[in-house]
Amino acid sequence: MSTIDQVQRVSSFDLWKLVKKTAFYLLVLFIVVVMVFPFYYAILTSFKSGTNLFIVTYWPHELNFANYLNVLQSAAFLQNFANSIIVATLTVLLSLLLAVTASYALSRVNFRGRGVLLMTILAVSMFPQIAVLAGLFELIRFYNLFNTLWALIFSYTIFSLPFTVWVLTTFMRDLPVEIEEAAIVDGATPWIIIWRVFLPLLWPAMVTTGLLAFIAAWNEYLFALTFTSSNSARTVPVAIALFSGNSEHEIPWGTIMAASVLVTAPLVVLVLIFQRKIISGLTAGGVKG
Amino acid sequence: MNLKSIAGGLLLGALLAGSASAATLSIVNGDTGGNLQWLRGVLDEYQKTSGDTINIVPMPSSTTDQFGQYKLWLAAGNSDIDVYQTDVIWAPQLSDQFVDLSTAAKDVSKDFFPSIIESQTVNGKLVAIPFFTDAPALFYRKDLLEKYKLPVPKTWTEMASEAKTIQDGERAAGNKDFWGFVFQGNAYEGLTCDALEWVKSYGGGQIVEPDGSISINNPKAVAALEEAKSWVNTISPPGVLSYGEEESRGVWQLGNAAFMRNWPYAYALGNAADSPIKGKFDVSTLPVGAEGDKPASTLGGWNLAVSKYSKNQDAAIKLVMYLSSAEVQKKRAIDLSALPTRQAIYDDADVAKAQPIIPNWKSVFQNAVPRPSAPTKTKYNEVSNLFWSAVHDTLSGNGSAADNLEQLEAKLTDLKGAGW
Amino acid sequence: MSDIAIPAKANATRRPDESDLVKQRVRAAMWFLLPMLAALAVVAAWPLLRTIWFSMTDASLTHLADARFVWFNNYLHWTVLKSGKVIWSGVLVDPAWWNAVWNTLRFAVLSVAFETVFGVIVALVLNAEFPGRGIVRAAVLIPWAIPTIVSARMWGWMFNDQFGIINDMLMHLGLISTKIAWTASADTAFYAILIVDIWKTTPFMALLILAALQMIPRDIYEAAAIDGVHPVKTFFRVTLPLIRPALMVAVIFRLLDAMRIFDLVYVLTPNSAQTKTMSVISRENLIDFDKFAYGSAESTLLFLIIAVMTILYIWIGQVRFEGGTR
């Protein structure tokens, strides 16, 4: 009965549907414009130089690639870029690896003190960065990591691990118990259960957490500045902060914006690649109520 | 497996960090693009003669960022950095962490501006040796002064009324965005510099006097701040309360201001090829409160200090002495139009020929006021913060100058306690 | 037929007879937790405990080593004058600190509230199927992807009263008649940082919520559609309860970040007493004012405030820690 209803409704409300569709696309357009406009403005600015930087324009008037050349010609920038990729990738992989198993334990196994444990993990990221800076610095010198990429991977754990653990725990907790039961009956070890049963279902959550953590590590500035002292270990945000004009108070906006565009572009590509993975794993899992 | 990768990282890190050899020095500074290249060139020369290898560790040019990092590094006894380039106001705050340079510099210290050497001396210890210096000036549009037949202003009130005349005229002529005067009004160290100049040039002292007494609450200082307050929203845009150096230069360089208080860096940029005000402006000493008062320019600039934790202190001291030598400073003046800290260079014929603006600055330095960093020691940043907050409050109409300065005096007295 | 009932919630029993199995699982869980906890301990234990320790000493950054233990004097202590008058001092009676707490709370609550609403809307849009969805997803993530040190400065530039594009746009649209000095006064600066923060972190919310939406089995929607349930009703009755756990976590992490906001405030407001936040004020004391112990005390208080807020939030929002036993 409902199928017939549906069909009739669809045919008789064509106009309404059109309006809805238009409204939807307007909403999409609005969201995209608001989100992207400042980036667009950054691109505009990256083509400007000198006094033009202070003049408001909405469309590109000159296509001056000098700023980009400026960025790319400084040999250190590519090195910094590579550093950022290494640091962010390793931080995320390490966090995800540690977090997947831990979240399984925290979400699927019943033991006392889980809530307290989760809160403790969260508490780690509750201090302001600047407050832990001194202690972390001592630690890094103690482990002899100063001015290495490991110092950054090490210190980024402080915010990326609690985040990944919490998000994955939440997502795993809400998966229905039935999907695990069959495997338990088959005598699968917890390890097998994680890899064979949960991982395929957790793709949307893993990719999302990974992306968010990747970007957070990619953009981190304070630790990266404090724990490094040469271009061999510095990352892109520090490199951007190091772009300077020719004199003390001048801020080289064009170059900074060019660098920001260059830095953001790979992230956009990354999202384009990985967003396909942010699709439901559950439909494939065939869990029926 | 995870633990293994961490352990591997530790090992690798240890190897990387251990490879630094003993003959290598690191100098850290927040110098900007061209200056950094220049420094590299000078250091390359130095490496040939001395045999030392010298790395530059660049830092962001934000002074606050640098200060934070250096303090942390020094607190942790970081031996990876040997030479620090320090702001004039840091010496008393970091004096414990740096090596005394007075023995190394005893033959040459008389060649420097005494006021700058004094600012770097804490309890008889020469904390850092002056490298180059900086002092602001009044930028004015000479074409507009000519157009409205006005002289270069001598006092602040004169400047304000001229600014008003020009602003009214230019706006009537169609430039709605024109303003009379821009300065640095955001609540930050820059406002301390600006306001110190107003107060000092009104004869209102320098916040905390060299003997440590708190002098800020006086009628002349009140008059100076009231004068400054009257500019906001009349000859200065309301947004000036959030301006730093670059924002004021933005307004100025678009040709939208008649006067600007700024550092010499704006001179070269304003004369760049694409600048609408190219060749249309000049600089002069900052105005005074009344005829007979002395103009005041806040002393800026950078110095070189050797870390106490350096493993190569002797080599580092040698390097510092070389960089501050007359030869290098002269080269710097000619190449970068940086202001030298040695007096003789201002009279040097080569410098005068290459950078005609430099000799003029000698008189500015005779009027340079140091910020009260020496008497207030480690509490300087807090003093400065309280001061700029009081000034910012006054400028934004949050209480009268008299009230705010009275409260400021109370807070400073409280902060001072038994002594700075 | 009525598949709208969530399968996970119903039927929450586990056969108690498998006690061996349960023990084995708990043991495995401990081993699974260990690497993560060890990693956290190695990284975080020392810096955190040290901050708390320093908050009870008279340490300054120049003299970290010879710090003296002073109990809670940095938080609160009193001196009795000869006249019998009692003078209180310490962070807990510092008006500047409480002002910063108020600024931060006001900011955090407002910005997270807006971000959540916008995040849900954006996530719903991204969850729909339409041509070019991948590109829109990537585009939406851009604000989160621009380094904060850049985006803060960039917005500062855009908010400039004289040559900023925001005033220029508003003027062209006829919404304002004179240029607003956004970052010059405490009030407008507050709105400025709200706008920028919401812009910057909505993608974070949206992406997490999108992931939650994607984890919802399709058949639930199909069932609702077949039953003819209005989409709005479906959203409130089905979608929202199902994404609630993820939403809660997203909000918690945003709240943590918002309570510690630093860069935006530093760049976009006149740093007068009126606009400072907790992080700004504790940074000032830690580094600039050479009152490391006092700053540590403020950081510890900030930590406590966040902890209390999180616990309250979890309690009021009834976030479940149990699960997997259904």
Side-chain angles (χ1 to χ4, degrees):
Chain A
M1 55 136 205
S2 50
T3 336
I4 297 164
D5 258 13
Q6 201 86 335
V7 170
Q8 278 178 341
R9 211 178 298 157
V10 167
S11 56
S12 58
F13 279 99
D14 253 347
L15 188 67
W16 177 232
K17 216 178 155 191
L18 192 72
V19 169
K20 275 213 289 200
K21 209 162 188 172
T22 318
F24 177 78
Y25 279 108
L26 281 178
L27 183 63
V28 171
L29 189 72
F30 176 76
I31 290 173
V32 171
V33 166
V34 169
M35 291 298 188
V36 176
F37 182 78
F39 187 63
Y40 169 72
Y41 196 60
I43 297 176
L44 274 191
T45 311
S46 70
F47 288 126
K48 294 181 184 177
S49 62
T51 311
N52 281 340
L53 287 170
F54 298 112
I55 299 168
V56 175
T57 49
Y58 292 87
W59 308 106
H61 286 282
E62 45 170 348
L63 275 185
N64 181 349
F65 287 94
N67 290 321
Y68 288 91
L69 282 178
N70 229 341
V71 173
L72 291 172
Q73 271 168 0
S74 74
F77 190 76
L78 291 176
Q79 161 101 61
N80 299 143
F81 201 83
N83 288 343
S84 274
I85 291 177
I86 295 170
V87 169
T89 311
L90 285 181
T91 306
V92 168
L93 288 182
L94 215 71
S95 302
L96 281 181
L97 211 65
L98 291 172
V100 165
T101 50
S103 329
Y104 172 77
L106 286 166
S107 61
R108 311 299 299 190
V109 183
N110 223 344
F111 62 91
R112 281 167 60 103
R114 255 188 321 186
V116 177
L117 200 57
L118 272 168
M119 279 309 289
T120 317
I121 293 166
L122 192 63
V124 167
S125 30
M126 283 183 192
F127 269 96
Q129 261 196 331
I130 189 86
V132 292
L133 206 54
L136 260 180
F137 186 72
E138 289 171 322
L139 213 54
I140 277 162
R141 287 199 59 81
F142 176 75
Y143 294 130
N144 231 332
L145 293 179
F146 182 70
N147 200 23
T148 65
L149 295 182
W150 291 103
L152 302 186
I153 297 166
F154 178 82
S155 53
Y156 290 175
T157 315
I158 219 169
F159 57 81
S160 73
L161 196 51
F163 174 69
T164 36
V165 168
W166 262 72
V167 175
L168 290 185
T169 304
T170 314
F171 279 100
M172 255 198 233
R173 190 162 51 209
D174 284 349
L175 292 174
V177 72
E178 289 79 2
I179 58 169
E180 205 180 347
E181 252 164 12
I184 293 176
V185 170
D186 288 349
T189 62
W191 188 253
I192 299 283
I193 296 179
I194 294 179
W195 286 106
R196 293 279 163 76
V197 180
F198 281 104
L199 229 45
L201 292 177
L202 275 176
W203 267 115
M206 297 266 286
V207 169
T208 307
T209 337
L211 268 180
L212 292 175
F214 186 92
I215 295 175
W218 180 270
N219 288 343
E220 203 284 334
Y221 170 69
L222 191 59
F223 288 170
L225 179 64
T226 313
F227 303 145
T228 61
S229 66
S230 72
N231 276 322
S232 63
R234 280 181 164 169
T235 56
V236 161
V238 181
I240 293 179
L242 288 178
F243 285 124
S244 51
N246 283 312
S247 46
E248 194 184 332
H249 301 283
E250 185 192 355
I251 301 170
W253 275 102
T255 320
I256 290 180
M257 289 305 160
S260 312
V261 171
L262 287 176
V263 169
T264 314
L267 293 180
V268 172
V269 174
L270 202 70
V271 178
L272 278 176
I273 295 171
F274 277 102
Q275 62 91 19
R276 288 176 196 287
K277 294 282 182 189
I278 317 178
I279 46 162
S280 178
L282 270 188
T283 42
V287 182
K288 296 275 186 285
Chain B
M1 166 175 186
N2 317 324
L3 285 174
K4 216 186 253 171
S5 64
I6 292 175
L10 292 176
L11 203 68
L12 185 66
L15 287 174
L16 286 174
S19 65
S21 92
T24 315
L25 293 176
S26 286
I27 173 169
V28 64
N29 72 14
D31 260 2
T32 47
N35 297 5
L36 214 53
Q37 253 170 19
W38 180 88
L39 184 63
R40 190 64 261 174
V42 171
L43 290 177
D44 286 345
E45 285 300 304
Y46 180 74
Q47 288 185 156
K48 281 182 205 147
T49 55
S50 71
D52 294 336
T53 315
I54 295 138
N55 298 322
I56 302 179
V57 178
M59 289 294 280
S61 52
S62 147
T63 354
T64 346
D65 273 8
Q66 287 173 43
F67 184 72
Q69 296 307 318
Y70 297 170
K71 263 198 111 161
L72 272 170
W73 280 347
L74 289 167
N78 187 348
S79 56
D80 296 298
I81 310 284
D82 305 282
V83 177
Y84 288 81
Q85 185 171 315
T86 60
D87 195 326
V88 267
I89 52 174
W90 295 348
Q93 306 178 64
L94 299 174
S95 66
D96 287 353
Q97 323 264 21
F98 290 140
V99 169
D100 186 1
L101 297 173
S102 49
T103 340
K106 69 174 185 296
D107 294 336
V108 293
S109 58
K110 58 177 191 314
D111 300 342
F112 292 84
F113 282 105
S115 61
I116 307 181
I117 284 283
E118 200 184 316
S119 74
Q120 299 307 304
T121 309
V122 181
N123 300 331
K125 173 179 176 180
L126 184 62
V127 176
I129 191 123
F131 188 25
F132 61 98
T133 181
D134 212 357
L138 181 74
F139 288 68
Y140 61 90
R141 288 280 298 275
K142 54 183 184 205
D143 60 326
L144 293 177
L145 287 187
E146 261 165 44
K147 180 174 170 190
Y148 294 92
K149 297 190 176 56
L150 297 166
V152 178
K154 288 273 178 301
T155 66
W156 289 110
T157 34
E158 208 181 320
M159 190 276 294
S161 81
E162 289 183 11
K164 181 91 181 105
T165 314
I166 300 175
Q167 180 181 312
D168 290 347
E170 289 299 298
R171 286 194 180 180
N175 187 353
K176 290 233 164 17
D177 289 333
F178 196 89
W179 291 95
F181 179 50
V182 285
F183 57 97
Q184 293 78 48
N186 196 5
Y188 77 123
E189 187 63 28
L191 181 57
T192 295
C193 297
D194 283 40
L196 175 63
E197 285 154 6
W198 307 331
V199 170
K200 179 75 177 174
S201 65
Y202 263 82
Q206 44 201 63
I207 312 170
V208 176
E209 299 306 308
D211 66 1
S213 59
I214 297 161
S215 64
I216 187 61
N217 188 13
N218 66 66
K220 286 181 168 166
V222 172
L225 292 196
E226 286 295 349
E227 169 71 29
K229 182 187 173 178
S230 72
W231 303 332
V232 180
N233 222 350
T234 55
I235 57 166
S236 301
V240 80
L241 294 179
S242 65
Y243 284 9
E245 282 84 1
E246 278 294 79
E247 285 86 359
S248 21
R249 183 175 74 87
V251 178
W252 162 258
Q253 197 161 323
L254 286 174
N256 285 341
F259 297 103
M260 169 176 75
R261 180 268 182 206
N262 216 328
W263 304 87
Y265 87 101
Y267 191 86
L269 290 169
N271 275 325
D274 70 341
S275 165
I277 53 166
K278 180 173 191 261
K280 292 181 182 169
F281 70 95
D282 215 331
V283 292
S284 143
T285 48
L286 290 164
V288 294
E291 295 284 350
D293 282 334
K294 267 177 61 178
S297 287
T298 302
L299 187 64
W302 292 85
N303 312 278
L304 295 165
V306 174
S307 165
K308 182 166 93 170
Y309 310 103
S310 161
K311 288 178 187 132
N312 303 298
Q313 287 184 8
D314 291 340
I317 292 174
K318 241 174 66 196
L319 170 65
V320 163
M321 293 314 297
Y322 172 73
L323 286 177
S324 64
S325 68
E327 178 199 341
V328 175
Q329 288 212 14
K330 181 176 167 185
K331 186 168 156 53
R332 196 178 168 101
I334 292 174
D335 295 349
L336 300 174
S337 106
L339 302 173
T341 54
R342 287 167 177 260
Q343 308 191 57
I345 301 174
Y346 287 84
D347 305 325
D348 190 293
D350 299 340
V351 173
K353 208 173 134 215
Q355 302 285 356
I357 143 172
I358 287 186
N360 300 339
W361 237 269
K362 194 178 178 183
S363 63
V364 173
F365 281 107
Q366 270 133 16
N367 299 321
V369 235
R371 280 161 274 172
S373 58
T376 53
K377 301 194 180 101
T378 52
K379 291 177 183 163
Y380 170 71
N381 282 335
E382 207 168 353
V383 170
S384 176
N385 195 310
L386 288 170
F387 178 61
W388 82 53
S389 300
V391 175
H392 196 267
D393 279 348
T394 311
L395 296 185
S396 45
N398 220 332
S400 72
D403 289 350
N404 285 332
L405 288 187
E406 194 181 359
Q407 281 171 29
L408 174 65
E409 186 186 33
K411 284 181 191 163
L412 288 180
T413 314
D414 204 31
L415 181 65
K416 182 182 175 186
W420 293 110
Chain C
M1 157 89 205
S2 62
D3 291 52
I4 302 174
I6 304 132
K9 289 260 166 81
N11 199 359
T13 47
R14 165 166 297 275
R15 281 159 293 281
D17 52 339
E18 302 158 344
S19 63
D20 267 0
L21 197 63
V22 169
K23 262 187 210 152
Q24 188 208 326
R25 280 170 67 85
V26 172
R27 219 171 21 244
M30 292 304 133
W31 282 110
F32 282 160
L33 278 170
L34 209 63
M36 186 269 296
L37 290 176
L40 268 191
V42 166
V43 179
W46 171 259
L48 297 194
L49 294 178
R50 235 168 121 71
T51 305
I52 298 174
W53 152 259
F54 276 131
S55 77
M56 291 188 265
T57 66
D58 62 353
S60 79
L61 208 44
T62 10
H63 305 281
L64 274 187
D66 36 319
R68 225 162 27 89
F69 196 72
V70 296
W71 291 104
F72 295 102
N73 277 5
N74 290 314
Y75 295 90
L76 188 68
H77 82 126
W78 61 90
T79 22
V80 183
L81 299 182
K82 277 191 186 120
S83 59
K85 220 175 112 190
V86 181
I87 295 182
W88 297 87
S89 55
V91 182
L92 288 176
V93 288
D94 186 347
W97 166 252
W98 288 112
N99 184 44
V101 172
W102 166 237
N103 281 340
T104 318
L105 277 178
R106 198 167 54 129
F107 166 78
V109 169
L110 276 177
S111 83
V112 174
F114 278 111
E115 280 154 33
T116 313
V117 174
F118 293 147
V120 170
I121 294 174
V122 173
L124 286 173
V125 168
L126 293 185
N127 196 38
E129 296 213 22
F130 59 92
R133 180 171 71 159
I135 291 174
V136 174
R137 277 182 181 178
V140 161
L141 209 62
I142 284 179
W144 177 251
I146 300 178
T148 315
I149 50 156
V150 174
S151 63
R153 303 296 284 276
M154 191 173 79
W155 278 92
W157 210 241
M158 289 169 56
F159 272 123
N160 185 287
D161 61 330
Q162 294 302 307
F163 45 81
I165 195 165
I166 306 241
N167 275 344
D168 194 74
M169 254 192 276
L170 294 175
M171 294 276 274
H172 278 298
L173 294 175
L175 293 175
I176 53 171
S177 55
T178 52
K179 291 182 168 177
I180 300 176
W182 286 93
T183 53
S185 87
D187 301 330
T188 44
F190 181 77
Y191 294 117
I193 53 172
L194 258 187
I195 291 172
V196 179
D197 195 63
I198 292 168
W199 170 79
K200 181 160 178 56
T201 49
T202 299
F204 174 91
M205 281 282 190
L207 211 62
L208 270 181
I209 296 166
L210 175 63
L213 287 174
Q214 287 290 342
M215 302 275 287
I216 298 174
R218 290 278 139 143
D219 26 16
I220 291 181
Y221 286 116
E222 280 156 24
I226 288 168
D227 286 352
V229 181
H230 192 270
V232 175
K233 202 169 168 190
T234 318
F235 173 75
F236 281 104
R237 293 280 172 80
V238 183
T239 317
L240 206 54
L242 280 176
I243 62 168
R244 208 186 65 151
L247 200 59
M248 294 300 251
V249 170
V251 168
I252 288 177
F253 276 91
R254 275 305 308 141
L255 211 56
L256 294 192
D257 270 354
M259 294 288 289
R260 292 180 302 169
I261 182 164
F262 176 77
D263 304 48
L264 285 183
V265 181
Y266 205 72
V267 176
L268 285 179
T269 70
N271 267 302
S272 60
Q274 301 159 37
T275 55
K276 279 177 188 160
T277 61
M278 291 193 273
S279 273
V280 171
I281 217 167
S282 69
R283 188 214 134 95
E284 244 173 37
N285 281 307
L286 279 166
I287 307 282
D288 296 337
F289 294 172
D290 207 36
K291 296 200 284 194
F292 195 72
Y294 198 76
S296 298
E298 286 175 331
S299 303
T300 310
L301 277 180
L302 169 54
F303 161 76
L304 288 176
I305 292 174
I306 294 181
V308 167
M309 276 188 71
T310 316
I311 290 169
L312 268 181
Y313 178 77
I314 286 173
W315 182 57
I316 294 172
Q318 298 182 324
V319 176
R320 294 164 306 119
F321 284 120
E322 67 279 358
T325 53
R326 305 177 280 250

